[in-house]
Amino acid sequence: MRLSRYFLPVLKETPSEAQIVSHRLMLRAGMIKQASAGIYEWLPLGFKVLRRLETIIHEEQQRAGHIPMLMPVLQSADLWKESGRYDAYGPEMLRMKDRHDRDMLFSPTAEELFTDVVRSNVTSYKDLPLTIYQIQWKFRDEIRPRFGVMRGREFLMKDGYNFDLTKEDALHAYNRHLVSYLRTYERMGLQAIPMRADSGPIGGDYTHEFLVLAETGESEVFYDSEITDLTFGDREIDFDDRGQCQAVLEEFTSRYARTDETHDEAVFANVPEARRRVARGIEVGQIFYFGTEYSEKLGATVAGPDGEKITLHMGSHGIGVSRLIGALIEANHDDKGIIWPEGVTPFHAGIVNLKQGDAATDAACEGIYKALVKAGLDPLYDDREERAGAKFATMDLIGLPWRITVGPRGLGNGVVELTSRRTGESEELTPDAAVERIKAIYATVL
Ligand code: ATP
Ligand code: MG
């Protein structure tokens, strides 16, 4: 993309309504614009990051054997009355009537619809196990929407639902989700720690929340510092292998890590004092096993091998896709702006032309730009008639991990400058070598 033709409405002023750094930076970098309280317009740069996160989530979900589909956001209240949640949900559920006076609602989550599609189409034990998921907008009429996309009213969620014949199978689905989520967040460049959580209105005994440590997080968390040394890395997992999934789950959940809802001082006291941490975290996902509650209420059963009726065991699993962008920025920024991890950056590299209109400089920039595009990468070329300082400030603000700076002086010596946004370190290379370097960096990421 050439910046002269892009739509990147960066703000010069720091917006006063934004209380936390990720919200400020998303507004300043032209990623989002508030449409009304807790509802955002996704401008091109923000939309690009959202799409990158969705791609990673889809790839990782499907690697674990889960099947994508899409449910409507506007739903009839009927199923929700059947499950009892139409009354139980309270004012966070946005309700409306259609022209025929039928009760409708904007989906705050989708257990009912997914259970319904299974009860009406899955009749035999042979069709199970099944995990289906979607990435779809949700609406919760939060009493205090704040912190930008962190606590919005309209937000994007990946929500998945597993349907199994036995508790044992459903617990394997639970473990599989935990492992798959660890891998998903790590690919995004984030450390999200699974913590024992409270199951709240969904019910059930098994639930973990994934938390990104950040001072601005809304949850208070308590953990053994050893847990932050764990990384999933590039281990290959066979998601059908119960033993493997169970072993990873145990590795990542055996140390103390809990949200305030489940925190127990007496148990925490067993962690050596030097390793006890009390901090704040952002909830970026949650997984549940809740047994047969919904399938009983909604009559989701299949016929077993001898024709007997089996009530399905279920769980649900959510990732806060739009909230993740806020969490990513909270964890990756400095006073100049955002610092995207390579796995989620909106553009792979920025090209800064220091002397627009100078034939040799323009040609070198074009050459680098085309070579990166040809390599399947997505560069942003700042080809505007602007001062160098303004171009650098924009690149720093929007946070592309790599910048190639091209000017007549360097080109006189046959070199351009490659700069890391994270470390600020620069290196002089030939234009070809700079392109090769960027290709090599992303070859291990994409
Ligand atoms: P919270 O406790 O933060 O209100 P929740 O536990 O009610 O969230 P879940 O039902 O577990 O949310 O939804 C799955 C994920 O969706 C959450 O882990 C979170 O990342 C995200 N999410 C929930 N509510 C919001 C919101 N209002 N704005 C943005 N993301 C949200
Ligand atoms: Mg939750």
Side-chain angles (χ1 to χ4, degrees), residues 89 92 108-109 140 142 148-158 185 202 209-210 218-219 261 282-288 317-324:
Y89 221 98
E92 275 188 15
T109 167
R140 292 182 188 173
E142 300 276 355
V149 299
M150 280 292 200
R151 184 164 295 284
R153 293 197 298 162
E154 187 187 61
F155 59 97
L156 191 61
M157 194 203 283
K158 171 260 156 179
Y185 296 120
I202 291 191
E209 282 181 358
F210 288 77
E218 290 185 290
S219 316
E261 292 154 345
I282 302 167
E283 181 195 328
V284 292
Q286 186 162 15
I287 57 175
F288 297 92
H317 317 274
I319 295 181
V321 187
S322 45
R323 178 182 286 182
L324 265 169

Short mmCIF file of all heavy atoms in Angstrom, two decimals, residues 89 92 108-109 140 142 148-158 185 202 209-210 218-219 261 282-288 317-324, ligand 1:
data_model
loop_
_atom_site.label_atom_id
_atom_site.label_comp_id
_atom_site.label_asym_id
_atom_site.label_seq_id
_atom_site.Cartn_x
_atom_site.Cartn_y
_atom_site.Cartn_z
N TYR A 89 -30.67 -13.28 31.80
CA TYR A 89 -29.54 -12.48 31.32
C TYR A 89 -29.50 -11.05 31.84
O TYR A 89 -28.45 -10.48 32.05
CB TYR A 89 -29.47 -12.48 29.79
CG TYR A 89 -28.04 -12.61 29.32
CD1 TYR A 89 -27.52 -13.84 28.94
CD2 TYR A 89 -27.20 -11.51 29.29
CE1 TYR A 89 -26.21 -13.97 28.54
CE2 TYR A 89 -25.88 -11.63 28.89
CZ TYR A 89 -25.40 -12.86 28.52
OH TYR A 89 -24.10 -12.99 28.13
N GLU A 92 -27.94 -6.52 30.24
CA GLU A 92 -26.85 -6.56 29.26
C GLU A 92 -27.32 -7.08 27.91
O GLU A 92 -26.65 -6.89 26.90
CB GLU A 92 -25.70 -7.44 29.77
CG GLU A 92 -24.77 -6.66 30.66
CD GLU A 92 -23.52 -7.43 31.02
OE1 GLU A 92 -23.23 -8.45 30.38
OE2 GLU A 92 -22.87 -7.00 31.96
N PRO A 108 -25.59 -11.97 22.72
CA PRO A 108 -24.47 -11.65 23.61
C PRO A 108 -23.48 -12.83 23.67
O PRO A 108 -22.37 -12.69 24.18
CB PRO A 108 -25.14 -11.45 24.97
CG PRO A 108 -26.40 -12.28 24.92
CD PRO A 108 -26.78 -12.44 23.47
N THR A 109 -23.90 -13.99 23.21
CA THR A 109 -23.15 -15.24 23.15
C THR A 109 -24.09 -16.18 22.39
O THR A 109 -25.16 -15.75 21.99
CB THR A 109 -22.76 -15.75 24.57
OG1 THR A 109 -22.29 -17.09 24.46
CG2 THR A 109 -23.94 -15.75 25.52
N ARG A 140 -23.24 -6.65 24.09
CA ARG A 140 -23.65 -6.68 25.51
C ARG A 140 -23.77 -5.23 25.93
O ARG A 140 -22.82 -4.46 25.78
CB ARG A 140 -22.60 -7.41 26.37
CG ARG A 140 -22.52 -8.89 26.05
CD ARG A 140 -21.53 -9.63 26.92
NE ARG A 140 -21.38 -10.99 26.46
CZ ARG A 140 -20.47 -11.85 26.94
NH1 ARG A 140 -19.65 -11.47 27.91
NH2 ARG A 140 -20.40 -13.07 26.45
N GLU A 142 -23.16 -3.20 28.13
CA GLU A 142 -22.35 -3.00 29.34
C GLU A 142 -22.77 -1.71 30.02
O GLU A 142 -22.99 -0.69 29.36
CB GLU A 142 -20.87 -2.90 28.97
CG GLU A 142 -20.28 -4.12 28.26
CD GLU A 142 -19.84 -5.21 29.23
OE1 GLU A 142 -19.89 -4.98 30.46
OE2 GLU A 142 -19.45 -6.29 28.75
N GLY A 148 -12.01 1.92 25.39
CA GLY A 148 -12.07 1.63 23.96
C GLY A 148 -12.59 0.24 23.68
O GLY A 148 -13.60 -0.18 24.25
N VAL A 149 -11.87 -0.50 22.86
CA VAL A 149 -12.35 -1.83 22.46
C VAL A 149 -12.21 -2.87 23.57
O VAL A 149 -12.68 -4.00 23.43
CB VAL A 149 -11.61 -2.34 21.20
CG1 VAL A 149 -11.86 -1.39 20.03
CG2 VAL A 149 -10.12 -2.51 21.46
N MET A 150 -11.57 -2.48 24.67
CA MET A 150 -11.40 -3.44 25.78
C MET A 150 -12.73 -3.84 26.39
O MET A 150 -12.96 -4.99 26.70
CB MET A 150 -10.63 -2.79 26.91
CG MET A 150 -9.24 -2.72 26.78
SD MET A 150 -8.25 -4.10 26.82
CE MET A 150 -6.82 -3.16 27.22
N ARG A 151 -13.54 -2.85 26.66
CA ARG A 151 -14.89 -3.16 27.16
C ARG A 151 -15.87 -2.37 26.30
O ARG A 151 -16.29 -1.28 26.65
CB ARG A 151 -15.04 -2.85 28.65
CG ARG A 151 -16.42 -3.26 29.19
CD ARG A 151 -16.48 -3.32 30.70
NE ARG A 151 -15.60 -4.36 31.22
CZ ARG A 151 -15.86 -5.67 31.18
NH1 ARG A 151 -16.98 -6.12 30.67
NH2 ARG A 151 -14.99 -6.52 31.67
N GLY A 152 -16.16 -2.95 25.17
CA GLY A 152 -17.11 -2.31 24.27
C GLY A 152 -18.50 -2.84 24.53
O GLY A 152 -18.71 -3.71 25.38
N ARG A 153 -19.46 -2.32 23.80
CA ARG A 153 -20.80 -2.93 23.83
C ARG A 153 -20.90 -3.88 22.63
O ARG A 153 -21.31 -5.01 22.76
CB ARG A 153 -21.88 -1.84 23.79
CG ARG A 153 -21.86 -1.00 25.09
CD ARG A 153 -23.13 -0.22 25.26
NE ARG A 153 -23.32 0.73 24.19
CZ ARG A 153 -24.48 1.30 23.90
NH1 ARG A 153 -25.56 1.00 24.61
NH2 ARG A 153 -24.57 2.18 22.92
N GLU A 154 -20.46 -3.40 21.47
CA GLU A 154 -20.36 -4.30 20.32
C GLU A 154 -18.92 -4.77 20.25
O GLU A 154 -17.99 -3.94 20.27
CB GLU A 154 -20.74 -3.55 19.03
CG GLU A 154 -20.81 -4.47 17.84
CD GLU A 154 -21.02 -3.70 16.53
OE1 GLU A 154 -20.17 -2.88 16.17
OE2 GLU A 154 -22.04 -3.94 15.88
N PHE A 155 -18.69 -6.07 20.20
CA PHE A 155 -17.31 -6.55 20.14
C PHE A 155 -17.25 -7.87 19.38
O PHE A 155 -18.24 -8.58 19.26
CB PHE A 155 -16.70 -6.69 21.55
CG PHE A 155 -17.45 -7.63 22.46
CD1 PHE A 155 -17.03 -8.95 22.62
CD2 PHE A 155 -18.58 -7.22 23.17
CE1 PHE A 155 -17.71 -9.83 23.46
CE2 PHE A 155 -19.27 -8.09 24.00
CZ PHE A 155 -18.82 -9.39 24.15
N LEU A 156 -16.06 -8.15 18.87
CA LEU A 156 -15.90 -9.37 18.06
C LEU A 156 -15.41 -10.51 18.95
O LEU A 156 -14.46 -10.33 19.72
CB LEU A 156 -14.90 -9.10 16.93
CG LEU A 156 -14.81 -10.20 15.85
CD1 LEU A 156 -16.15 -10.39 15.15
CD2 LEU A 156 -13.73 -9.85 14.82
N MET A 157 -16.06 -11.64 18.86
CA MET A 157 -15.68 -12.79 19.69
C MET A 157 -15.58 -14.03 18.83
O MET A 157 -16.34 -14.22 17.88
CB MET A 157 -16.76 -13.03 20.75
CG MET A 157 -16.31 -13.96 21.87
SD MET A 157 -17.70 -14.76 22.72
CE MET A 157 -18.29 -13.46 23.75
N LYS A 158 -14.58 -14.84 19.14
CA LYS A 158 -14.60 -16.20 18.62
C LYS A 158 -15.30 -17.03 19.67
O LYS A 158 -14.89 -17.02 20.84
CB LYS A 158 -13.17 -16.71 18.40
CG LYS A 158 -13.10 -18.21 18.07
CD LYS A 158 -12.74 -19.03 19.29
CE LYS A 158 -13.22 -20.47 19.15
NZ LYS A 158 -12.83 -21.27 20.34
N TYR A 185 -2.47 -17.56 21.26
CA TYR A 185 -1.99 -16.31 21.84
C TYR A 185 -0.49 -16.14 21.60
O TYR A 185 -0.03 -15.04 21.32
CB TYR A 185 -2.30 -16.25 23.34
CG TYR A 185 -3.78 -16.23 23.66
CD1 TYR A 185 -4.36 -17.23 24.43
CD2 TYR A 185 -4.60 -15.21 23.18
CE1 TYR A 185 -5.72 -17.22 24.72
CE2 TYR A 185 -5.96 -15.20 23.46
CZ TYR A 185 -6.51 -16.21 24.23
OH TYR A 185 -7.86 -16.20 24.51
N ILE A 202 -22.94 -19.37 33.65
CA ILE A 202 -22.92 -20.52 32.74
C ILE A 202 -22.91 -21.83 33.53
O ILE A 202 -23.41 -22.85 33.09
CB ILE A 202 -21.74 -20.43 31.74
CG1 ILE A 202 -21.99 -19.28 30.76
CG2 ILE A 202 -21.56 -21.74 30.97
CD1 ILE A 202 -21.06 -19.22 29.59
N GLU A 209 -9.77 -18.87 32.68
CA GLU A 209 -9.69 -17.63 31.92
C GLU A 209 -8.25 -17.45 31.49
O GLU A 209 -7.33 -17.84 32.23
CB GLU A 209 -10.06 -16.43 32.81
CG GLU A 209 -11.54 -16.29 33.02
CD GLU A 209 -11.91 -15.08 33.89
OE1 GLU A 209 -11.01 -14.37 34.37
OE2 GLU A 209 -13.11 -14.88 34.10
N PHE A 210 -8.05 -16.83 30.34
CA PHE A 210 -6.70 -16.51 29.88
C PHE A 210 -6.46 -15.03 30.12
O PHE A 210 -7.25 -14.20 29.65
CB PHE A 210 -6.55 -16.84 28.39
CG PHE A 210 -6.50 -18.32 28.13
CD1 PHE A 210 -7.66 -19.08 28.16
CD2 PHE A 210 -5.29 -18.95 27.89
CE1 PHE A 210 -7.61 -20.45 27.94
CE2 PHE A 210 -5.24 -20.32 27.67
CZ PHE A 210 -6.40 -21.08 27.70
N GLU A 218 -8.53 -5.16 34.17
CA GLU A 218 -9.65 -4.98 35.09
C GLU A 218 -9.72 -6.07 36.15
O GLU A 218 -10.44 -5.93 37.13
CB GLU A 218 -10.97 -4.96 34.30
CG GLU A 218 -11.12 -3.70 33.46
CD GLU A 218 -12.48 -3.65 32.78
OE1 GLU A 218 -12.73 -4.44 31.87
OE2 GLU A 218 -13.30 -2.82 33.20
N SER A 219 -8.98 -7.18 35.94
CA SER A 219 -9.06 -8.28 36.91
C SER A 219 -7.83 -8.27 37.82
O SER A 219 -6.71 -8.06 37.35
CB SER A 219 -9.08 -9.63 36.20
OG SER A 219 -9.94 -9.61 35.10
N GLU A 261 -11.90 -14.05 41.85
CA GLU A 261 -13.10 -14.81 42.19
C GLU A 261 -12.79 -16.17 42.81
O GLU A 261 -13.58 -16.69 43.58
CB GLU A 261 -13.95 -15.06 40.92
CG GLU A 261 -14.56 -13.79 40.36
CD GLU A 261 -14.83 -13.91 38.87
OE1 GLU A 261 -14.28 -14.84 38.23
OE2 GLU A 261 -15.58 -13.06 38.35
N ILE A 282 -5.76 -8.66 31.89
CA ILE A 282 -6.85 -8.45 30.93
C ILE A 282 -7.34 -9.82 30.48
O ILE A 282 -6.55 -10.62 29.98
CB ILE A 282 -6.35 -7.67 29.69
CG1 ILE A 282 -5.75 -6.32 30.10
CG2 ILE A 282 -7.48 -7.49 28.67
CD1 ILE A 282 -4.95 -5.64 28.99
N GLU A 283 -8.62 -10.08 30.66
CA GLU A 283 -9.17 -11.37 30.24
C GLU A 283 -9.35 -11.37 28.72
O GLU A 283 -10.15 -10.62 28.18
CB GLU A 283 -10.52 -11.62 30.92
CG GLU A 283 -11.10 -12.96 30.54
CD GLU A 283 -12.59 -13.10 30.88
OE1 GLU A 283 -13.04 -12.52 31.88
OE2 GLU A 283 -13.28 -13.81 30.13
N VAL A 284 -8.59 -12.24 28.05
CA VAL A 284 -8.69 -12.30 26.58
C VAL A 284 -9.36 -13.58 26.09
O VAL A 284 -9.53 -13.78 24.89
CB VAL A 284 -7.31 -12.13 25.90
CG1 VAL A 284 -6.78 -10.72 26.12
CG2 VAL A 284 -6.32 -13.18 26.39
N GLY A 285 -9.74 -14.44 27.03
CA GLY A 285 -10.44 -15.65 26.60
C GLY A 285 -10.89 -16.45 27.80
O GLY A 285 -10.42 -16.23 28.93
N GLN A 286 -11.82 -17.37 27.56
CA GLN A 286 -12.28 -18.24 28.65
C GLN A 286 -12.81 -19.53 28.05
O GLN A 286 -13.41 -19.52 26.98
CB GLN A 286 -13.38 -17.54 29.47
CG GLN A 286 -13.79 -18.34 30.70
CD GLN A 286 -14.53 -17.51 31.75
OE1 GLN A 286 -14.98 -16.41 31.45
NE2 GLN A 286 -14.66 -18.05 32.95
N ILE A 287 -12.55 -20.63 28.74
CA ILE A 287 -13.08 -21.92 28.30
C ILE A 287 -13.90 -22.54 29.42
O ILE A 287 -13.60 -22.34 30.60
CB ILE A 287 -11.94 -22.88 27.86
CG1 ILE A 287 -10.92 -23.11 28.99
CG2 ILE A 287 -11.23 -22.35 26.62
CD1 ILE A 287 -9.84 -24.14 28.65
N PHE A 288 -14.94 -23.26 29.03
CA PHE A 288 -15.85 -23.89 30.01
C PHE A 288 -16.17 -25.32 29.61
O PHE A 288 -16.32 -25.62 28.42
CB PHE A 288 -17.23 -23.21 30.01
CG PHE A 288 -17.27 -21.79 30.42
CD1 PHE A 288 -17.17 -20.79 29.47
CD2 PHE A 288 -17.44 -21.43 31.75
CE1 PHE A 288 -17.24 -19.45 29.84
CE2 PHE A 288 -17.51 -20.11 32.12
CZ PHE A 288 -17.42 -19.11 31.17
N HIS A 317 -16.33 -21.91 24.56
CA HIS A 317 -14.96 -21.42 24.56
C HIS A 317 -14.92 -20.10 23.81
O HIS A 317 -15.35 -20.04 22.65
CB HIS A 317 -14.05 -22.44 23.85
CG HIS A 317 -14.37 -23.86 24.27
ND1 HIS A 317 -13.82 -24.44 25.38
CD2 HIS A 317 -15.24 -24.77 23.77
CE1 HIS A 317 -14.31 -25.66 25.53
NE2 HIS A 317 -15.18 -25.89 24.56
N GLY A 318 -14.42 -19.05 24.46
CA GLY A 318 -14.46 -17.74 23.81
C GLY A 318 -13.11 -17.05 23.78
O GLY A 318 -12.31 -17.17 24.72
N ILE A 319 -12.88 -16.31 22.69
CA ILE A 319 -11.71 -15.43 22.61
C ILE A 319 -12.23 -14.04 22.30
O ILE A 319 -13.05 -13.88 21.38
CB ILE A 319 -10.73 -15.88 21.50
CG1 ILE A 319 -10.12 -17.24 21.84
CG2 ILE A 319 -9.61 -14.84 21.32
CD1 ILE A 319 -9.11 -17.75 20.80
N GLY A 320 -11.77 -13.05 23.04
CA GLY A 320 -12.18 -11.66 22.79
C GLY A 320 -11.30 -11.07 21.69
O GLY A 320 -10.25 -10.51 21.97
N VAL A 321 -11.75 -11.19 20.45
CA VAL A 321 -10.88 -10.82 19.31
C VAL A 321 -10.60 -9.31 19.31
O VAL A 321 -9.44 -8.88 19.23
CB VAL A 321 -11.51 -11.24 17.96
CG1 VAL A 321 -10.53 -11.01 16.83
CG2 VAL A 321 -11.95 -12.69 18.00
N SER A 322 -11.65 -8.49 19.42
CA SER A 322 -11.40 -7.04 19.39
C SER A 322 -10.68 -6.59 20.66
O SER A 322 -9.79 -5.73 20.59
CB SER A 322 -12.70 -6.26 19.17
OG SER A 322 -13.74 -6.76 19.97
N ARG A 323 -11.02 -7.18 21.81
CA ARG A 323 -10.32 -6.81 23.04
C ARG A 323 -8.83 -7.13 22.95
O ARG A 323 -8.00 -6.42 23.53
CB ARG A 323 -10.94 -7.54 24.24
CG ARG A 323 -10.22 -7.23 25.54
CD ARG A 323 -10.78 -7.98 26.72
NE ARG A 323 -12.06 -7.43 27.16
CZ ARG A 323 -12.75 -7.90 28.21
NH1 ARG A 323 -12.27 -8.92 28.90
NH2 ARG A 323 -13.90 -7.36 28.54
N LEU A 324 -8.50 -8.19 22.24
CA LEU A 324 -7.10 -8.58 22.10
C LEU A 324 -6.24 -7.47 21.53
O LEU A 324 -5.06 -7.34 21.87
CB LEU A 324 -6.99 -9.80 21.18
CG LEU A 324 -6.97 -11.15 21.85
CD1 LEU A 324 -7.13 -12.24 20.79
CD2 LEU A 324 -5.67 -11.36 22.63
P1 ATP B 1 -15.83 -9.83 31.34
O1 ATP B 1 -15.67 -10.58 32.64
O2 ATP B 1 -14.59 -9.07 30.94
O3 ATP B 1 -17.07 -9.00 31.29
P2 ATP B 1 -16.94 -12.22 30.30
O4 ATP B 1 -16.30 -13.21 31.19
O5 ATP B 1 -18.33 -11.81 30.55
O6 ATP B 1 -16.00 -10.92 30.20
P3 ATP B 1 -17.03 -14.19 28.17
O7 ATP B 1 -18.47 -14.47 28.16
O8 ATP B 1 -16.09 -15.12 28.84
O9 ATP B 1 -16.81 -12.70 28.76
O10 ATP B 1 -16.60 -13.85 26.66
C1 ATP B 1 -15.43 -14.34 26.02
C2 ATP B 1 -14.42 -13.24 25.81
O11 ATP B 1 -15.01 -12.11 25.15
C3 ATP B 1 -13.87 -12.66 27.10
O12 ATP B 1 -12.81 -13.46 27.58
C4 ATP B 1 -13.38 -11.29 26.65
O13 ATP B 1 -12.07 -11.39 26.13
C5 ATP B 1 -14.34 -10.92 25.55
N1 ATP B 1 -15.31 -9.92 26.02
C6 ATP B 1 -16.30 -10.09 26.90
N2 ATP B 1 -16.99 -8.95 27.10
C7 ATP B 1 -16.40 -8.02 26.32
C8 ATP B 1 -16.65 -6.64 26.06
N3 ATP B 1 -17.65 -6.00 26.67
N4 ATP B 1 -15.84 -5.99 25.18
C9 ATP B 1 -14.85 -6.64 24.56
N5 ATP B 1 -14.57 -7.94 24.75
C10 ATP B 1 -15.33 -8.63 25.61
#
